[in-house]
Amino acid sequence: MTDLARPDRAEVLEMLAAFGQRAAEDVPDELGSLELTWLIAEFEQRYGIEPDLDDEAFEAVRTVDDAVTVFRAAVLAAGGDGADAPSDSTGPGRTDSAVTAGAARP
């Protein structure tokens, strides 16, 4: 059975902790744009899925919980839990709109 809750808050905090070389419990709830950009790149690398974020949606992600919501939606849109996703950006589950949207975001 797939775990449609992935990624969860703990995993997102773990990703952010690696960015700041700190413990997960030391990660603040609010995200800056640099942290969010890095977090999106880390999510894409781990799951092989590019979240479909236009500029407005990107600006709306302000907290760790917002990021969890966006990432879960991306995993669900890709049709799975992301556990079997390849590490490159050409894996299954990507849609043309995800590719196009991801091209505009570093």
Side-chain angles (χ1 to χ4, degrees), residues 19-93:
F19 173 69
Q21 297 177 343
R22 57 195 164 190
E25 58 270 4
D26 294 334
V27 174
D29 191 52
E30 292 194 25
L31 301 174
S33 61
L34 183 58
E35 284 180 311
L36 179 56
T37 301
W38 185 88
L39 182 60
I40 290 169
E42 182 68 15
F43 171 81
E44 290 171 357
Q45 183 177 12
R46 285 188 184 200
Y47 284 83
I49 300 169
E50 291 186 30
D52 191 11
L53 290 174
D54 60 17
D55 288 340
E56 187 175 314
F58 180 85
E59 292 294 323
V61 179
R62 297 283 187 207
T63 67
V64 171
D65 289 336
D66 293 341
V68 170
T69 300
V70 167
F71 294 155
R72 285 182 177 181
V75 169
L76 288 172
D81 67 0
D84 297 327
S87 61
D88 69 12
S89 62
T90 59

